[in-house]
Amino acid sequence: MRRRLLAEFLGTALLVTVVVGSGIMAQTLSPDDVGLQLLENSTATVFGLAVLIVVLGPVSGAHFNPVVSLADWWQGRQTGLGLQTGELGGYIAAQVLGGIGGAVLANAMFDKPAITWSTTERASAHLWLGEVVATAGLVLVIFCLTRSGGTAFAPLAVGGYIGAAYWFTSSTSFANPAVSVGRAFSDTFAGIAPASLPGFVVAQLAGGIIGLLLVHGLFGRPAVGTAEPVVPHPDSR
């Protein structure tokens, strides 16, 4: 379990480092072109996320996201696999702490104060709807892969979906409470004001529920022994 928690902490930390760090670099390289900044930021995130899933998936499953861990825990009540309640709390704590650590690391690498609260307000109904759509789609992609036996394609599919959702959702697809919390610690391109966090987190949790309902509608109840997301790992029960 210690190895799994370390993998979740490290994976979420590096994911946020990629998101925040590439956002800072994009602002530096393309200061007058927001569209190009988003392209640079999303491209780095796609590749970074895919690599992290490949490398750390065999250790912890590569959740890096409390919504995915919650969905895994819920599905596990029916399949006999998945996270137990105590493990769920550990995963979420590791992910949130990793998200904060990743933002602090990115700030430090670019010679910014370690902690600078973001001033970017993201508190509008259309942005919350974007987060519902982004998170529902992410859960749908991940759990459809596990239900259809396609987890080998998870790095490509999950990275590709997040990259696309950067562009087709109004919120630019945070789709992750731990990453959202981390991004509040950096007043840069990828930041979100702390006051905007509750709305985003609620929207992400709602999206997770909708995503699971869609998976259930497509595949029915999960069978005993259904694989765990995102990547099955040796400690699967």
Side-chain angles (χ1 to χ4, degrees):
M1 188 59 185
R2 289 193 297 271
R3 291 192 294 269
R4 292 163 64 188
L5 293 180
L6 176 59
E8 286 299 300
F9 172 86
L10 182 62
T12 313
L14 291 175
L15 175 58
V16 174
T17 301
V18 169
V19 172
V20 174
S22 63
I24 297 172
M25 182 63 81
Q27 284 182 310
T28 302
L29 296 176
S30 310
D32 300 318
D33 191 334
V34 177
L36 186 55
Q37 290 173 12
L38 185 62
L39 178 61
E40 293 160 349
N41 188 214
S42 61
T43 301
T45 301
V46 168
F47 287 113
L49 178 56
V51 169
L52 289 171
I53 292 173
V54 170
V55 172
L56 297 174
V59 181
S60 68
H63 293 188
F64 313 147
N65 188 331
V67 172
V68 175
S69 296
L70 281 164
D72 177 37
W73 169 80
W74 179 258
Q75 179 175 270
R77 303 315 92 201
Q78 299 173 302
T79 65
L81 299 175
L83 296 174
Q84 296 182 351
T85 302
E87 295 172 333
L88 173 64
Y91 262 53
I92 291 175
Q95 291 157 357
V96 172
L97 291 174
I100 295 170
V104 171
L105 176 59
N107 289 337
M109 283 197 300
F110 287 90
D111 196 27
K112 297 183 179 296
I115 297 176
T116 306
W117 298 113
S118 176
T119 57
T120 304
E121 297 289 339
R122 303 179 190 265
S124 301
H126 72 283
L127 298 179
W128 299 333
L129 177 59
E131 280 302 285
V132 171
V133 171
T135 313
L138 176 62
V139 170
L140 183 65
V141 167
I142 290 171
F143 284 84
C144 282
L145 287 174
T146 63
R147 297 290 290 277
S148 64
T151 53
F153 300 103
L156 176 62
V158 175
Y161 173 78
I162 289 297
Y166 256 86
W167 290 91
F168 76 73
T169 63
S170 57
S171 62
T172 65
S173 184
F174 285 47
N176 185 329
V179 169
S180 301
V181 170
R183 289 166 73 158
F185 284 74
S186 182
D187 190 20
T188 56
F189 178 77
I192 177 173
S196 300
L197 281 176
F200 263 53
V201 172
V202 169
Q204 290 157 0
L205 293 173
I209 293 171
I210 292 171
L212 274 183
L213 290 174
L214 290 172
V215 173
H216 183 81
L218 291 169
F219 290 93
R221 295 172 63 88
V224 174
T226 297
E228 292 184 273
V230 173
V231 177
H233 53 91
D235 287 330
S236 298
R237 290 181 289 108

